[in-house]
Amino acid sequence: MRHRVLHILPEDGIGGAEIAAHSAADANQKISLFFMSPAPAPSPETTNIHHAKTGGPFSPTTLRQGMQVFDTVNPDVVVFSLWKSFFMMLLMRILRPRVKTVVMLHSSKFVHIPDFVCTHLMQLLAHNFWSDSESALPRVLKFKRKRARVISFLAQKPSPVTSKNPQPNFIFWGRLSAVKNLGGSCSFFQAIHAKMPNAKLTIIGPDDGELSKLKSHVNALGLSNAVHFVGTKSWTEICDLASDHSFYIQFSIFEGMAMSVVEAMQLGLVPIVTPVGEIKRYGKDGENCIIHDTTTDALSAVLSTLEDPEKYQRLRLNAQTHWQTHPTFAEDFYIACGEEISK
């Protein structure tokens, strides 16, 4: 691809938007990233990945640095993710009005009023908007001159972990935030642990304001020896840990694509999930996942799956094969950028 693309995000981290953006930049040097906050850990800047040196998404210093990155990259199109990038987008539309701009949506719901206001203003400013899932499209303002496009959000296509008979081992990876409802997951796990004292739950990810509360909740449930908080891990480490687990659990309140669920399915774990966001489209209860509508029904489904290795293997195989023919984010993103530039 000859076109130059700049993708701007508020922060770097392990969220789905950030992981997908990195996968695109890794695959093509014509894709540059600018994160409007300092790097989460000391790391050398590359020719196409840039972080703000100081400040954050709302800092004037960050806005100046963003404009410097823009002038260095000289992009044909700029993609903005998440509401905190609004002021960067506004500045670029004022100072560099000729460049094409795209807003990318990553969730099926607005988190709060600033998200609602800034996202709608960004859609007004943008030449077009994309989404990581069909479930996010209701957030799109209806304009005849614009047409939302859904971009595949597969960051990668990992090989499945080793197939084993099911064990009462459950795992989660992602941000430890209120939206992920990890307290609900732990309460559900308690019901399993009461019947299977050897059950374990591994929770991977950085604290997003919930860790202390979650640890207190786990202690109150009497699960301190069964629930393990292991912090942030690399993708290789996540895969290594996942190989010793049979189920992925995520009871999010709302989601977009839910990339961690997709990754777990590709690895061959059986997801136990709430039917929110795009999960309700690709997650088929009893076919490639276990849907948590009620605790009683989901608990019964998990226990019966643990007792029936053939059922478990069918679920995990269906979970894997569901994503085999889908393009990756990097592939779909390149195509969408090229089409946007050629308009």
Side-chain angles (χ1 to χ4, degrees):
M1 187 179 75
R2 295 187 300 273
H3 309 298
R4 296 178 302 277
V5 180
L6 178 60
H7 191 174
I8 295 178
L9 303 97
E11 297 149 340
D12 203 352
I14 67 164
E18 296 83 13
I19 291 172
H22 274 290
S23 73
D26 290 344
N28 194 314
Q29 289 293 305
K30 294 293 185 181
I31 304 293
S32 296
L33 308 181
F34 175 60
F35 295 99
M36 301 175 66
S37 299
S43 59
E45 296 288 290
T46 68
T47 56
N48 67 329
I49 299 178
H50 312 272
H51 296 82
K53 305 302 181 186
T54 58
F58 309 118
S59 166
T61 302
T62 297
L63 298 180
R64 287 195 297 271
Q65 292 171 3
M67 292 307 303
Q68 291 170 358
V69 171
F70 177 95
D71 290 336
T72 300
V73 174
N74 190 23
D76 299 296
V77 62
V78 185
V79 180
F80 297 86
S81 285
L82 307 169
W83 72 272
K84 290 181 181 179
S85 63
F86 164 69
F87 291 104
M88 190 79 257
M89 182 181 189
L90 179 62
L91 185 63
M92 286 190 179
R93 291 292 284 134
I94 293 171
L95 298 181
R96 305 291 187 272
R98 288 181 172 273
V99 70
K100 291 210 170 173
T101 55
V102 175
V103 171
M104 188 149 190
L105 305 176
H106 298 277
S107 177
S108 61
K109 292 187 178 181
F110 296 103
V111 179
H112 39 51
I113 292 175
D115 180 15
F116 177 87
V117 173
C118 289
T119 300
H120 279 76
L121 290 174
M122 290 170 75
Q123 291 182 43
L124 288 169
L125 291 169
H127 291 92
N128 213 336
F129 32 80
W130 301 339
S131 169
D132 66 3
S133 62
E134 291 282 348
S135 63
L137 293 183
R139 300 176 71 201
V140 172
L141 292 174
K142 306 301 181 185
F143 297 115
K144 292 182 179 179
R145 65 186 177 89
K146 299 175 183 176
R147 183 180 178 185
R149 173 174 179 150
V150 177
I151 306 293
S152 171
F153 232 58
L154 292 188
Q156 55 192 323
K157 290 192 173 182
S159 299
V161 294
T162 305
S163 173
K164 299 177 181 177
N165 285 334
Q167 300 294 325
N169 298 338
F170 304 79
I171 192 169
F172 164 89
W173 59 86
R175 293 176 295 110
L176 275 57
S177 70
V179 169
K180 302 300 181 181
N181 189 24
L182 286 163
S185 297
C186 291
S187 295
F188 179 81
F189 174 74
Q190 182 193 37
I192 295 170
H193 189 266
K195 296 182 179 295
M196 296 185 165
N198 63 325
K200 69 176 182 180
L201 170 60
T202 302
I203 296 176
I204 304 171
D207 183 19
D208 196 14
E210 290 290 296
L211 182 58
S212 177
K213 187 188 303 182
L214 284 169
K215 286 185 174 180
S216 296
H217 182 56
V218 166
N219 288 334
L221 294 173
L223 296 173
S224 56
N225 291 326
V227 178
H228 308 284
F229 297 91
V230 299
T232 303
K233 298 294 181 182
S234 69
W235 175 244
T236 300
E237 291 171 325
I238 289 173
C239 292
D240 288 342
L241 286 167
S243 67
D244 191 38
H245 294 73
S246 298
F247 299 89
Y248 179 85
I249 186 167
Q250 184 166 313
F251 290 174
S252 297
I253 299 170
F254 60 85
E255 280 288 352
M257 186 65 182
M259 185 179 287
S260 293
V261 177
V262 174
E263 292 170 342
M265 292 175 71
Q266 291 177 291
L267 291 176
L269 301 178
V270 173
I272 311 166
V273 289
T274 44
V276 296
E278 199 69 7
I279 297 172
K280 61 179 176 286
R281 297 180 185 273
Y282 61 73
K284 308 300 181 184
D285 189 33
E287 181 179 329
N288 59 19
C289 72
I290 295 170
I291 294 293
H292 181 275
D293 278 322
T294 68
T295 296
T296 300
D297 290 345
L299 178 61
S300 176
V302 172
L303 294 176
S304 67
T305 302
L306 282 165
E307 294 170 357
D308 186 348
E310 289 187 5
K311 177 182 177 181
Y312 173 78
Q313 294 299 338
R314 184 179 71 253
L315 285 170
R316 74 184 300 272
L317 180 61
N318 289 341
Q320 292 170 40
T321 57
H322 180 86
W323 299 105
Q324 287 179 353
T325 59
H326 286 65
T328 64
F329 173 80
E331 295 164 346
D332 214 15
F333 187 76
Y334 301 158
I335 293 170
C337 288
E339 292 178 353
E340 191 64 37
I341 292 165
S342 65
K343 288 180 181 178

